[in-house]
RNA sequence: GGGGAGGUGGCUGAGUGGCCGAAAGCACCCGCCUGCUAAGCGGGUAGGGGGUGUAAAGCUCCCUCGAGGGUUCGAAUCCCUCCCUUCCCGCCA
């Protein structure tokens, strides 16, 4: 969230940012309630201060004639505070609905058409054949099963079978190994159900409840990404500045309702209610966050390069970057079968927006007040679409799929999927 | 699921109605002292919010001893509910 203080001092900047993001922002209501809140709070505190003074006198003198006034003061302070608290609660609810501002380098635009390709690696491969889709190949090879998954769980679910399941597991292992051994991330295994406070910390709540699966009769939600438990790992903490940046990597299944995505990507292993993802998260300082964000993006790109997949890096424009993000890049891997780029990673930096919600702070130095940390995250990578890009890129004329070299050590001797 | 114990500052831990936002110790910071190190001596060190201040500093007030409510002029301390930790029993992958 943005601090009340920041909104007081920069209402127009916040309004402008919200408008360019295409998000509503109740700034006028916030400023009005802020005045009301402070009025009642001031009154309550003034009376309370008088009451505290007089109460001390009572303790000394035991003068019973003071009691009636003390009682009245207590009543007044209590009722004023109750009003102030109620207004503050309303105010806090509104604050949670104000979108983040964005960095000056973010391109201004309205839709995904306004996103900017900032770099590209490799080029579209010449397969020398009519490229087939991953779902066509996957079903023919018996490594993907959508029909039975639909019977078991419904649409947007899949079974991976045999070498398909193995390939997915190999990818997870490979990514975790690279990030932990070479990029310096600490691996985490996390809760995959989290409470509302955690969801609010990462800004999945209150705005995006309809995109989450909720456990009945409990304050628990299925995580839409490991970002949620990992970012919240240090909630309510004051971290040592010397320990920053903290770098975490976590593999977790991720669940999303995909509300509002009706009709989009209904074919294939692309937009699923449940999918695997290896997530990178950093917690750092204001001074280093932009730099760490760039590095994290490169860490994710490194996976694509090692897999030999052609990709583009998109700088998301204001209208397409989302409510909480301060700056965002999407990694788009080329999938020749479906003949388009698939989003395999989304890397974002949040400024102190999430840290303020989750109350993650650090102490810049001895005797210095704590400051809110900056949080960063990115997929490194999301599995299904990476798997798709691999299958479609490494397909052969005979319908079999070559295992990329870097995955071979993880495939138990399988170098060609489909060879029996 | 049943029963016991417990949640206090960066950490350990005292405090059972006002003298307590909180003893003592540890850790850390500043200074003194010792030829170095260790020891010793003195001082300092929780968070949030309101007001004032251009801002920082400062000054001032309010709140916070797991969370929320209650009793009281006054609550870390008494009462209720919830959450969490831990131990014993039961069940169990």
């Amino acid at each position: 969230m943005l601090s009340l203080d920041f909104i007081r001092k920069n209402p127009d900047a916040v309004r402008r940012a919200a408008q360019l993001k295409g998000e509503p922002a109740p700034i006028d209501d916030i400023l009005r309630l802020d005045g009301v809140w402070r009025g009642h709070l001031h009154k309550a505190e003034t009376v309370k201060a008088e009451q505290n003074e007089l109460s001390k006198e009572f303790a000394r003198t035991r003068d019973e004639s003071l009691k009636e006034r003390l009682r009245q003061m207590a009543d007044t302070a209590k009722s004023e505070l109750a009003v102030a608290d109620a207004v503050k609660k309303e105010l806090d609810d509104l604050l949670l609905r104000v979108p983040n501002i964005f960095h000056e380098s973010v391109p201004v635009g309205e839709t995904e058409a306004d996103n900017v390709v900032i770099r590209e690696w490799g080029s579209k491969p010449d397969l020398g054949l009519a490229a087939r889709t991953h779902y066509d190949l996957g079903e023919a090879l018996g490594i993907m099963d959508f029909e039975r998954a639909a019977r078991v769980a419904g649409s947007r679910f899949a079974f991976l079978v045999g070498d398909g399941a193995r390939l997915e597991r190999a990818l997870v292992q490979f990514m975790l190994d690279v990030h932990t051994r070479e990029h310096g991330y600490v691996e985490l295994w996390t809760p995959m159900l989290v409470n509302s406070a955690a969801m609010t910390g990462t800004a999945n709540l209150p705005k995006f409840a309809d995109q989450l699966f909720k456990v009945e009769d409990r304050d628990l939600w299925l995580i839409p990404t490991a970002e949620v438990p990992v970012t919240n790992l240090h909630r309510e903490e004051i971290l040592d500045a010397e320990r920053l940046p903290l770098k975490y990597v976590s593999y977790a299944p991720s669940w999303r309702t995909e509300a509002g995505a009706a009709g989009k990507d209904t074919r294939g292993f692309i937009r699923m209610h449940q999918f695997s993802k290896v997530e990178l998260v950093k917690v750092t300082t204001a001074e280093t966050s932009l730099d760490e964000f760039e590095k994290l993006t490169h860490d994710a790109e490194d996976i694509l390069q090692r897999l030999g997949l052609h990709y583009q890096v998109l700088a998301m424009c204001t209208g397409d970057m989302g409510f909480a993000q301060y700056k965002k890049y999407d990694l788009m891997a080329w999938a020749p079968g479906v003949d388009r780029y698939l989003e395999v990673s989304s890397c974002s930096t949040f400024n102190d927006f999430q840290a303020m919600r989750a109350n993650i702070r650090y102490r810049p130095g001895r005797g210095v007040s704590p400051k809110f940390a900056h949080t960063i995250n990115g997929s490194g990578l999301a599995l299904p679409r990476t798997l798709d890009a691999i299958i479609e890129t490494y397909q052969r004329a005979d319908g079999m799929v070559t295992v990329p070299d870097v995955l071979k050590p993880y495939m138990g001797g399988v170098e060609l999927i489909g060879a029996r």
Side-chain angles (χ1 to χ4, degrees):
Chain A
M1 62 197 282
L2 299 175
S3 74
L4 188 51
D5 190 50
F6 182 83
I7 294 173
R8 274 179 203 142
K9 287 171 181 159
N10 309 279
D12 292 331
V14 176
R15 278 195 197 95
R16 175 177 167 275
Q19 191 213 328
L20 289 173
K21 278 190 164 190
E23 299 274 354
I27 303 304
D28 293 333
D29 287 341
I30 286 172
L31 294 176
R32 181 177 56 78
L33 287 176
D34 181 39
V36 175
W37 168 60
R38 285 197 281 181
H40 286 285
L41 184 65
H42 189 71
K43 172 81 176 168
E45 289 189 349
T46 305
V47 174
K48 188 72 190 174
E50 290 168 11
Q51 186 200 342
N52 286 345
E53 267 313 302
L54 198 60
S55 192
K56 279 177 197 156
E57 189 183 329
F58 177 82
R60 270 198 315 274
T61 64
R62 298 286 156 177
D63 179 353
E64 289 293 320
S65 70
L66 296 176
K67 273 212 169 181
E68 185 49 36
R69 264 177 74 203
L70 280 165
R71 231 175 253 129
Q72 280 173 12
M73 286 175 161
D75 284 350
T76 306
K78 198 177 222 176
S79 62
E80 283 296 323
L81 194 62
V83 176
D85 284 349
V87 174
K88 185 59 161 53
K89 189 172 181 309
E90 206 179 326
L91 189 53
D92 287 339
D93 287 346
L94 290 180
L95 283 172
L96 290 175
R97 294 172 184 278
V98 176
N100 199 0
I101 54 172
F102 54 84
H103 188 253
E104 57 194 15
S105 64
V106 172
V108 171
E110 288 177 21
T111 70
E112 62 180 7
D114 301 313
N115 296 334
V116 177
V117 178
I118 57 168
R119 62 178 169 269
E120 198 165 18
W121 187 85
S123 56
K124 294 180 185 176
D126 177 15
L127 300 180
L129 52 86
R132 296 166 66 185
T133 62
H134 64 276
Y135 48 88
D136 181 14
L137 289 161
E139 288 182 320
L141 290 165
I143 61 172
M144 287 181 174
D145 192 331
F146 300 103
E147 211 177 308
R148 291 191 176 94
R151 242 177 280 153
V152 173
S155 66
R156 296 196 189 280
F157 286 95
F159 280 101
L160 294 175
V161 182
D163 286 341
R166 175 119 204 182
L167 187 61
E168 148 117 1
R169 181 155 58 90
L171 270 168
V172 172
Q173 295 274 74
F174 163 66
M175 291 178 192
L176 286 173
D177 283 350
V178 171
H179 292 310
T180 55
R181 292 176 187 166
E182 300 186 41
H183 296 156
Y185 291 78
V186 174
E187 184 172 351
L188 293 176
W189 181 84
T190 76
M192 294 172 199
L193 298 173
V194 302
N195 59 30
S196 297
M199 283 294 185
T200 305
T202 39
N204 297 87
L205 288 180
K207 271 205 81 162
F208 305 105
D210 67 338
Q211 296 180 17
L212 303 170
F213 285 106
K214 172 91 170 70
V215 176
E216 238 181 312
D217 300 328
R218 302 227 183 185
D219 181 30
L220 286 174
W221 306 74
L222 275 75
I223 57 172
T225 158
E227 166 196 348
V228 178
V230 177
T231 303
N232 279 284
L233 177 68
H234 294 294
R235 63 175 299 119
E236 321 285 339
E237 289 185 33
I238 299 174
L239 304 162
D240 291 337
E242 309 87 70
R243 287 179 59 205
L244 303 179
L246 297 172
K247 300 167 68 174
Y248 296 112
V249 59
S250 182
Y251 160 73
S254 307
W255 290 275
R256 299 181 182 182
T257 62
E258 294 299 342
K264 276 185 195 167
D265 305 315
T266 47
R267 289 220 65 179
F269 196 44
I270 293 179
R271 187 179 295 275
M272 315 301 289
H273 284 314
Q274 175 194 320
F275 64 98
S276 292
K277 187 154 58 71
V278 170
E279 184 76 3
L280 305 172
V281 174
K282 290 186 182 181
V283 179
T284 187
T285 64
E287 291 71 30
T288 59
S289 65
L290 278 172
D291 188 40
E292 293 293 342
F293 167 59
E294 296 293 335
K295 287 188 197 161
L296 178 140
T297 305
H298 283 287
D299 289 337
E301 285 178 60
D302 187 32
I303 300 293
L304 285 168
Q305 294 180 12
R306 292 179 194 225
L307 289 169
L309 297 174
H310 163 55
Y311 68 89
Q312 295 183 333
V313 180
L314 290 186
M316 307 302 281
C317 73
T318 53
D320 200 31
M321 70 188 293
F323 172 80
Q325 288 78 6
Y326 184 66
K327 185 171 184 177
K328 179 172 168 183
Y329 297 140
D330 275 3
L331 305 188
M332 309 294 290
W334 176 249
V338 295
D339 193 32
R340 60 186 170 109
Y341 288 94
L342 297 178
E343 180 189 328
V344 292
S345 175
S346 188
C347 301
S348 305
T349 183
F350 295 84
N351 218 32
D352 58 6
F353 193 81
Q354 290 183 325
M356 212 174 277
R357 289 168 163 249
N359 197 18
I360 305 164
R361 294 173 292 174
Y362 68 97
R363 202 177 291 280
R366 280 273 149 202
V368 184
S369 297
K371 290 179 65 177
F372 286 107
H374 281 206
T375 58
I376 303 163
N377 69 62
S379 347
L381 307 161
L383 269 285
R385 297 171 190 173
T386 304
L387 198 71
D388 300 341
I390 289 171
I391 289 171
E392 295 184 7
T393 299
Y394 286 87
Q395 64 180 299
R396 310 197 316 179
D398 59 9
M400 294 197 268
V401 173
T402 306
V403 173
D405 286 343
V406 291
L407 295 181
K408 281 177 182 162
Y410 298 95
M411 286 298 288
V414 176
E415 302 203 341
L416 189 61
I417 294 173
R420 275 284 166 234

